[in-house]
Amino acid sequence: MLSIPIKRAHIEITHHLTKAEVDTLIAAPDPKTPRGRRDRAFLLFLARTGARVSEATGVNANDLQLERPHPQVLLRGKGRRDRVVPIAKDLARALTTLLSERGIAHHEPRPIFVGARNERLTRFGATHIVRRAAAEAVAIRPALADKPISPHIFRHSLAMKLLQSGVDLLTIQAWLGHAQVATTHRYAAADVEMMRNGLEKAGVAGDHGVRFRPNDAVLQLLNSI
């Protein structure tokens, strides 16, 4: 039995979008229509909170705390792992407008994002919103046509942005609601540009005049090899 080789599992590449690509998708819906404002608020929610699509569609008005000095939202994750994440200022404004338009008070247990029949947005509806925005955004950024655009890619993109900004893996793990930090670690493994910068700053790339102290994300990545 010991001579049987270990099966090598295929690790799926973690796709993500740049900040410019995310901003283009968010700006795609028409802000002059109720549907466009709903779509933009939903895209902002995915992009700023990193919520899974089920978490985003499951949010109610009473899960929000928009009147706090630092707004936040309660997300109900998989395996009853609830978590609270911060809400960015642009998202807070979009959500406030959306609730006002629909006449929903902050304390009401009513869904924030609804479909055409005023029922809670479904996974299919959420995917349709993202694809509709992508179809509009491709005209501005043609490179998006080659990206696997889905609601989940906003989650990957936020994780990569946090990692590249120097946020440690444990914080990202808590933010995204991962049960294990190993799941979060794949973002570090997928960021080739961060690895390249790490080589250059460490002097491995041939520029021995550079001296720096690598950040925690790079150190964790190197220690895991």
Side-chain angles (χ1 to χ4, degrees):
M1 292 179 64
L2 294 176
S3 64
I4 299 176
I6 299 175
K7 181 180 179 180
R8 295 179 179 273
H10 173 68
I11 300 177
E12 191 70 24
I13 296 176
T14 301
H15 297 280
H16 66 282
L17 304 176
T18 65
K19 179 182 182 301
E21 289 171 336
V22 170
D23 291 344
T24 302
L25 286 170
I26 292 172
D30 185 359
K32 298 179 181 178
T33 66
R35 189 184 75 172
R37 289 190 290 272
R38 187 277 313 268
D39 288 3
R40 182 178 183 275
F42 184 71
L43 295 172
L44 267 173
F45 194 92
L46 293 175
R48 301 295 188 254
T49 66
R52 301 178 178 91
V53 64
S54 59
E55 295 170 346
T57 57
V59 168
N60 295 326
N62 60 342
D63 294 324
L64 298 172
Q65 295 186 26
L66 300 177
E67 299 175 346
R68 295 168 58 98
H70 301 289
Q72 58 190 37
V73 60
L74 171 65
L75 297 178
R76 293 178 172 81
K78 295 190 299 184
R80 297 183 179 180
R81 288 190 296 272
D82 297 349
R83 65 190 187 281
V84 175
V85 300
I87 292 180
K89 292 180 180 179
D90 55 354
L91 175 57
R93 289 192 297 268
L95 291 174
T96 300
T97 299
L98 188 62
L99 293 177
S100 178
E101 286 186 358
R102 297 187 53 218
I104 300 177
H106 291 181
H107 63 276
E108 294 186 82
R110 294 172 57 186
I112 298 175
F113 303 111
V114 297
R117 298 181 180 179
N118 208 35
E119 298 177 349
R120 187 182 298 276
L121 192 66
T122 64
R123 179 180 293 271
F124 175 81
T127 301
H128 187 65
I129 289 174
V130 173
R131 288 178 177 174
R132 183 165 56 221
E136 296 289 336
V138 164
I140 299 175
R141 293 194 179 274
L144 286 171
D146 299 323
K147 299 288 183 73
I149 307 298
S150 70
H152 212 67
I153 202 168
F154 290 95
R155 179 174 167 85
H156 292 325
S157 301
L158 176 64
M160 294 297 279
K161 180 63 177 176
L162 293 172
L163 179 66
Q164 293 166 345
S165 299
V167 179
D168 64 272
L169 291 178
L170 290 177
T171 300
I172 299 175
Q173 176 194 8
W175 192 316
L176 298 183
H178 288 155
Q180 300 177 347
V181 73
T183 305
T184 315
H185 187 271
R186 65 181 178 179
Y187 295 110
D191 193 353
V192 178
E193 188 60 31
M194 191 177 73
M195 296 180 192
R196 184 179 296 110
N197 291 337
L199 288 176
E200 294 176 354
K201 292 178 180 179
V204 182
D207 184 2
H208 300 291
V210 179
R211 295 291 183 269
F212 100 119
R213 188 179 185 276
N215 62 35
D216 293 339
V218 174
L219 285 175
Q220 291 186 47
L221 177 59
L222 295 176
N223 290 336
S224 67
I225 297 175

